[in-house]
Amino acid sequence: MADQAKNDTVSPAENRSTPILQKEVASQISPTPLPRKPKQDRPPDQDPGIWRMSRRSLLSVAGWMGFLGFIVVSTVGALRYMFPRVLFEPPTKFKAGFPQDFVIGEVSEKYKDEKRVWIVRQRDGFYALISICTHLGCTPRWLPGDDKFKCPCHGSGFYRSGVNFEGPAPRPLERASIALADDGQIEIDRSIKYLYEKNEWGRPGSFLPFIG
Amino acid sequence: MALMEKFKKSEFYKSIFRHSYQDTQRNRALQIVDNVFLHLHPVRVPRHATNIGFTWGMGGITFLLFLVLTITGVILMFYYRPTAQFAYEDMKYLMNDVPFGPLMRNMHRWAAHAMVLTVMLHMFRVFLTGSYKPPRQFNWMVGVILLVLTLLLSFSGYLLPWDQLAIWAVTVGTNMARATPLLGHEGPFGPELGMRINNDVRFVLLGGTEVGPPTLLRFYVGHCIFLPLIAAIFMAVHFWRVRKDGGISGPESRKNF
């Protein structure tokens, strides 16, 4: 294309592969090619000056940049649109009543439906198990008679401690952060988790020492 | 009769039906080419292409099921509201009190199950007959995309009854997205890239950190608009490509029969 544009002697009609008839007509109109006027969108030969590209190329690039910019910004905007700012979900941190409300040796299912947490009271304190099966995320059931958690989906079983012993679950249940709030109530934060396989069950926060 | 003959000679009739009923090769070809619906068919069908034993008709059956699903799906949309408050009740309403509601919903459900099956059988047939070989490699890839879209349609539709089975099945299904490499908060290199439970790929899918009302709405829109649209586009490419690759594949010796 650039070579063709530089060839000043060729008239536009001859430039293309047009039928002979049109060529003849064109040659009749301008039998001898006129001297070409200097074009504004093209720098003089051998002197590009500040113009590194023709006006046409510049506008073309600008147009495409604008189009691509629009597409990119729209895509990013559309992606951001899919991430809601506000979630209408229960808060992860909640107060679960006073320690005296729980019976020693019992697994409390009081907060299972609403918060998906079991609160287990032992002789020496509390721990909170998140009631999400570590296999595929169903809610297991606490079976007091068998002294185990049993998942209805695929049959995973967990001891009272949360350690898995049967079924497809690959790791123990997760424990949530448990502490005493200033007003003396138990405070549980589900967003802070302690994993057995990472040796986190001994950490403060995974267990609430309490005797009384 | 004379009136009919006159009508057939009118410009109105001729502008719609652009050829006569004469049973000639040319007319038969024109009947196909001049009709927007029939032009999807090849003008000439090779003899082997009508052999049910060769094709099993599975591709066509799959497309038929897609049409059934589209029509019954639109019909179901007249009664179904995709909100946590109404979805389950509307499903029950459809099944118990809407005239022909059970028929429409059961057709939709069974056709959906059948479509997954026929897509797989179609793929199996294409594999057995070697129809994925050149020049049909590209269409095999389009077919794989269509298989994935079929499974996604099936999965997203599974949530819409909004009963316990649906919610937990989708909970289980979407929990796998946690382990997505790079994009899941429990997947390889996910946490390193700043993925948390409230900003990873599963979060976008669910519209939250757990399966809830936003999930129902997202799956509904995906199931009714986004996925069928994408599937229709790929189906158009798929069918067009069958024609471009020389029609339904057949035994080499009889290809140009």
Side-chain angles (χ1 to χ4, degrees), chain B:
Chain B
M1 280 281 93
L3 201 65
M4 193 65 194
E5 287 305 312
K6 200 177 179 188
F7 178 60
K8 278 190 174 177
K9 278 175 188 158
S10 69
E11 196 172 340
F12 175 74
Y13 181 89
K14 281 183 181 171
S15 68
I16 300 171
F17 304 99
R18 288 159 183 266
H19 42 79
S20 63
Y21 280 118
Q22 264 184 320
D23 188 10
T24 61
Q25 287 270 354
R26 181 183 147 76
N27 247 354
R28 288 166 67 172
L30 280 174
Q31 277 173 348
I32 301 292
V33 172
D34 285 353
N35 188 302
V36 70
F37 301 107
L38 294 181
H39 90 278
L40 295 171
H41 278 286
V43 173
R44 298 168 78 237
V45 178
R47 192 179 293 272
H48 69 80
T50 59
N51 181 4
I52 291 293
F54 186 80
T55 65
W56 297 350
M58 274 304 151
I61 291 172
T62 305
F63 181 57
L64 176 72
L65 288 172
F66 181 80
L67 293 180
V68 166
L69 285 162
T70 307
I71 292 164
T72 55
V74 169
I75 290 169
L76 291 175
M77 285 169 80
F78 281 101
Y79 282 97
Y80 176 83
R81 287 168 288 180
T83 59
Q85 189 186 352
F86 295 120
Y88 179 73
E89 285 175 22
D90 287 348
M91 183 270 290
K92 281 296 192 193
Y93 180 42
L94 269 163
M95 287 305 278
N96 290 301
D97 287 315
V98 176
F100 298 109
L103 180 67
M104 289 301 115
R105 193 171 105 87
N106 286 337
M107 273 178 78
H108 197 76
R109 190 183 175 91
W110 285 108
H113 286 311
M115 188 172 158
V116 173
L117 201 71
T118 56
V119 161
M120 287 175 172
L121 284 174
H122 175 57
M123 203 173 188
F124 186 52
R125 188 283 289 178
V126 168
F127 179 74
L128 287 185
T129 58
S131 303
Y132 56 87
K133 290 175 182 171
R136 296 184 171 80
Q137 315 99 311
F138 177 69
N139 222 12
W140 174 268
M141 292 198 295
V142 175
V144 170
I145 292 169
L146 282 169
L147 170 74
V148 174
L149 285 170
T150 307
L151 296 178
L152 285 176
L153 275 163
S154 189
F155 181 65
S156 58
Y158 202 35
L159 180 66
L160 303 186
W162 202 238
D163 52 7
Q164 285 294 310
L165 184 68
I167 291 171
W168 289 109
V170 170
T171 297
V172 168
T174 51
N175 271 337
M176 286 189 272
R178 289 170 188 262
T180 312
L182 307 177
L183 295 176
H185 72 277
E186 288 176 5
F189 306 109
E192 286 80 358
L193 286 171
M195 290 300 159
R196 294 184 306 277
I197 189 159
N198 61 354
N199 68 359
D200 69 342
V201 65
R202 177 175 166 274
F203 182 78
V204 185
L205 212 57
L206 299 183
T209 60
E210 57 194 30
V211 175
T215 316
L216 180 60
L217 196 53
R218 277 181 192 215
F219 273 48
Y220 176 76
V221 173
H223 184 77
C224 299
I225 295 171
F226 182 69
L227 289 171
L229 209 60
I230 302 286
I233 290 169
F234 275 98
M235 266 186 272
V237 175
H238 200 62
F239 302 159
W240 174 78
R241 200 67 227 176
V242 170
R243 293 276 300 282
K244 290 291 156 185
D245 292 337
I248 289 168
S249 69
E252 188 65 35
S253 58
R254 285 193 283 162
K255 196 170 254 178
N256 298 316
F257 195 68

Side-chain angles (χ1 to χ4, degrees), chain A residues 122-195:
Chain A
Q122 290 180 324
R123 196 172 298 280
D124 54 346
F126 291 87
Y127 57 87
L129 287 170
I130 294 175
S131 41
I132 297 176
C133 181
T134 52
H135 177 223
L136 287 171
C138 298
T139 308
R141 298 158 66 201
W142 168 245
L143 305 178
D146 297 337
D147 196 36
K148 70 177 180 184
F149 300 100
K150 187 74 176 168
C151 184
C153 286
H154 305 97
S156 297
F158 306 86
Y159 294 124
R160 168 191 292 261
S161 64
V163 175
N164 54 314
F165 69 94
E166 65 178 352
R171 58 196 181 88
L173 294 170
E174 294 168 353
R175 289 192 183 183
S177 161
I178 188 165
L180 273 188
D182 293 338
D183 59 356
Q185 288 199 64
I186 292 176
E187 192 170 57
I188 290 170
D189 189 351
R190 289 189 69 232
S191 64
I192 303 172
K193 292 172 182 174
Y194 298 94
L195 307 187

